[in-house]
Amino acid sequence: MPHPNTDIIPTIEGLAYGGDYNPEQWPREVWDEDVRLMRDAGVNLVSVNIFAWAGINPGPGEWDFARLDAIMDLLAGAGIKADLATATASPPPWFSQRHPETLPVNAEGVRLNPGARAEYCPHAPAYQEAVVEMASRLAERYAAHPALAMWHVGNEYYRSCFCDLAADAFRAWLRDRHGSLDGLNHAWGTTFWSQTFTDWSQVLPPRISAETPNPGLVLDWRRFGSDALLALFRSEADAIAKRSPDKPITTNLMVTGDFSGLDYHRWGEHMTGPNRLVATDHYLIPEHESDIEWPAQVAFGADASRGLAGGSPWLLMEQAANSSAWRRGYFAKRPGDQLRHSLSYVARGSEGAMFFQWRASRYGAERYHSAMLPHGGPDSKVFREVKAFGAQLQRLAEIKGSTVVSRAAVLLDFESCWAAATPGQPSSDMASYPEIRRWHAALWRRGVTTDVVNPAWDLGGYEFVFAPHLYLLDSDAHLRGYVERGGTLVIGPYSGIADRNEHVHPGPPGAIRDLVGVRVEEFAPLPEGATIALDDGTEGRTWSEAAHPIDADVVASFTEYPSTGAVFRRRLGDGEVWYLATRPTDLGPLLDRLGITADAPAGLELVRRRHADGRTYLFALNHTGAPQRVDATGEDLLSGRPWTPASTLDAGETAVIRERAAARTRGR
Ligand code: GAL
């Protein structure tokens, strides 16, 4: 992966620590306590003004910056920097009342009522103009403020709208993409069900219709939605950059849950490079609702964020100190979880750790969301850990600007994830994204640091590349090049099936058929919960297919259908490619076959960051219940103690070992 930028927040000394700070919810005297406790906890960066539109711009043409001035001055006086937000994520009631066309319309055609946040139509000119004005005014006023560290545009972009303004914008986007109505008719295959368009005015968003909508429409709508929000982000970012050219600009992307809502690889192009940085929010799925344990979830969120940043350092902008208000059921993190999670993000390239939010709110929709400073006050498990981690981060300042060393990659293509979820698929259980996460977790359990990357990138540096589900693919050329030059590629089933218009390639598995040397005669999806046995003692789930080798070795077959293969391997050039005709219930045996054995006990997480000059740091996180030996030589920055290969890490403990030059040779 490219490394375009390693100094992402230059005005912060060392690593960033803090969270969303909403002093507008509190009387003035509380602010003083906030700042005192922040300093106590080592907080050096807070995100302010995210939901403060109503205060700054209380009516049409009315502007009042007094409160924000006071907040910024308070922070500057305390030596705390601001991640200053543009406040555009939540238009106030007066704005929606004055511009009712800015309220979003859902797929049923119902205009939503005001009363919550993110209530805007991305295509409404009044909203588009208002956000640029807001960003411009803020940038003019605060560009030179001593508290300003960086700009935070909007908040967690995700909104879509199905109104007539959206329909117009969609048509313009489609003209651009497909050139002509003929081009559109071809791309969407409108001869099917007599859907041929004869005039652009007939083209509509995928509003609720009588039957299964055209999958081409559904897919293009998602692309369009992502591009429209990216344009909004860019309009604010450009307005800021003109007035505040020397400060980094970001927005908080979401790597939470199924985060494939936007095409973040396209976003990444505008969030990396000079004065840009990738920032992400990550909220964990409660362990009782997931088959992936928390440390592995943390690792995925972090590795995916690093992927969006092209391998550069990035920033964890939000995590929960404890429970998330919007998750079903309240849950508490166990003692030590928060410390280990925060350190794992840093190990995996984050230049610090931030939370939503600093102080728990007394009112509002998120009054029961956890915070760095809980309702229980500073004498609490959460705040004690917040303080402890702040102190740890200060000892890690020297790792700033280093990047993560990884030997494997998992491929993630957002368009492909969307296309695999369009209506009318042979199985509604073949979602891509959970499968990508599952493969990543299997590698995590083997101690392999894995990048989560765009398949179009240069994959040359990886020993192993995994493509759990790459449904959309026009050509195998790029992947073939990786294999021929010596890489090992593993491809999951139902990959290479359709092209970018989601037209099915004849002769499955279509675009990868020659690459994997396998012919698929027919698909045989499995009912939910069912498994299929393989003759090597393993099992598959969700999917199977009648697959035959053309030019590949059959490594394992389905026991019921011995004439068809289930796992194939083909040597190609200097490398090899594996193809799976089912989703393995357990990925362990496959990793065994590939020779990927754990070189540390399960639950001992080891990740290395490296500076361009060769200095390396081994992060060791002991998620197990017993002491573990960590084979490294150097000094633990957290405890200050020398580290030898005989040193052990107590249960639940963490170390960051600055490695001696001679010990740096082994990669992970
Ligand atoms: C994020 C959002 C924050 C807050 C948080 C609670 O998605 O950016 O404003 O709502 O969730 O988990």
Side-chain angles (χ1 to χ4, degrees), residues 575-587:
E576 60 182 34
V577 54
W578 292 67
Y579 178 71
L580 313 181
T582 185
R583 288 186 166 176
T585 50
D586 175 6
L587 288 150

Side-chain angles (χ1 to χ4, degrees), residues 299-317:
F300 182 83
D303 294 348
S305 302
R306 189 172 69 249
L308 303 178
S312 287
W314 54 281
L315 181 64
L316 176 73
M317 186 61 92

Side-chain angles (χ1 to χ4, degrees), residues 20 22 50-51 117 152 155-156 252 254 256 281 283 318-320 323-327 356-357 366 369-370:
D20 284 26
N22 300 305
I50 294 184
F51 297 109
R117 63 176 167 180
H152 181 118
N155 192 66
E156 289 192 338
N252 44 344
M254 290 181 267
T256 298
D281 297 351
Y283 292 93
E318 289 181 22
Q319 63 173 327
S323 185
S324 302
W326 46 272
R327 291 271 183 224
F356 175 86
Q357 59 179 332
E366 295 186 318
H369 197 288
S370 61

Side-chain angles (χ1 to χ4, degrees), residues 600-624:
L604 176 62
E605 181 175 345
L606 300 173
V607 183
R608 189 168 273 121
R609 282 184 71 154
R610 179 166 53 204
H611 277 296
D613 64 9
R615 282 174 297 146
T616 60
Y617 301 86
L618 183 67
F619 285 71
L621 294 89
N622 185 356
H623 302 286
T624 76

Side-chain angles (χ1 to χ4, degrees), residues 293 295 334-337 340 444-445 600-606 620-630 648-654:
E293 58 277 36
R334 295 165 297 244
D337 277 346
R340 285 185 297 275
W444 182 88
R445 292 181 195 121
L604 176 62
E605 181 175 345
L606 300 173
L621 294 89
N622 185 356
H623 302 286
T624 76
Q628 299 293 347
R629 209 169 56 77
V630 177
T648 57
L649 195 57
D650 285 345
E653 286 301 318
T654 54

